[in-house]
Amino acid sequence: MWQRVQTLYLAISTILIAVMVFGVKATLPAPEGIEPERFKYFAYIPYAILSILILALDILALTTYRHRIFQMRTAVLSSIITFAFQIWLAVDFFSNMGNPLVYKISMVFPTISVILNALAIRGILADELLVESTYRLRESRKNKRRRK
């Protein structure tokens, strides 16, 4: 399982989304001596639901390595939802440009996750094509032996 590079891509993507789910989205600076207000992803219910859904899809894609087609489809679905989530975060960022919020680096984790999922999908597809081609070769050899 861990020998394949696509598994590592999926694992890194899952870790990034997990860090984002439990991380801080932005902070509101405060005067000296006062604790700054923190806004977490998990505090806003739609963000929490979407983040947990993406995390569940990433974990599912990571653990279904024996079923490549299902793994690839799960990774594609996760990428689509993650991309939509990133767009939502970007809209939220640009609509709050006048506010003094300081956004954290975790705002770009979905973009990195989509890129890693795309690389993993490419690797899974390459493996599946390789397995199908070797299967066809075996079948053609068996048919040649039977004809003789």
Side-chain angles (χ1 to χ4, degrees), residues 5 14 25 36 45 53 58 61-62 69 75 89 92 96 103 105 118 126:
V5 70
T14 304
K25 177 180 128 182
I45 299 299
L53 176 67
D58 279 349
L62 182 63
I69 298 296
L89 289 173
D92 189 29
N96 291 325
Y103 288 94
I105 191 71

Side-chain angles (χ1 to χ4, degrees), residues 9 11 16 19 36 52 76 84 91 109 113 120 135-138 141:
Y9 291 148
L16 284 174
V19 166
I52 290 173
V76 166
V91 167
F109 284 178
S113 178
Y135 179 74
R136 272 190 245 125
L137 285 174
R138 284 187 201 141
R141 286 182 184 170

Side-chain angles (χ1 to χ4, degrees), residues 44 46-47 50 83-93:
Y44 187 52
Y47 282 174
L50 209 53
F83 184 70
F85 186 51
Q86 180 63 55
I87 290 172
W88 190 8
L89 289 173
V91 167
D92 189 29
F93 173 77

Side-chain angles (χ1 to χ4, degrees), residues 19-45:
V19 166
M20 191 186 80
V21 167
F22 301 111
V24 175
K25 177 180 128 182
T27 58
L28 186 61
E32 290 295 321
I34 299 175
E35 184 70 27
E37 186 177 357
R38 292 188 167 100
F39 299 100
K40 294 188 172 202
Y41 292 100
F42 212 71
Y44 187 52
I45 299 299

Side-chain angles (χ1 to χ4, degrees), residues 69-80:
I69 298 296
F70 181 73
Q71 183 183 30
M72 186 172 59
R73 289 180 180 170
T74 306
V76 166
L77 181 61
S78 173
S79 293
I80 291 169

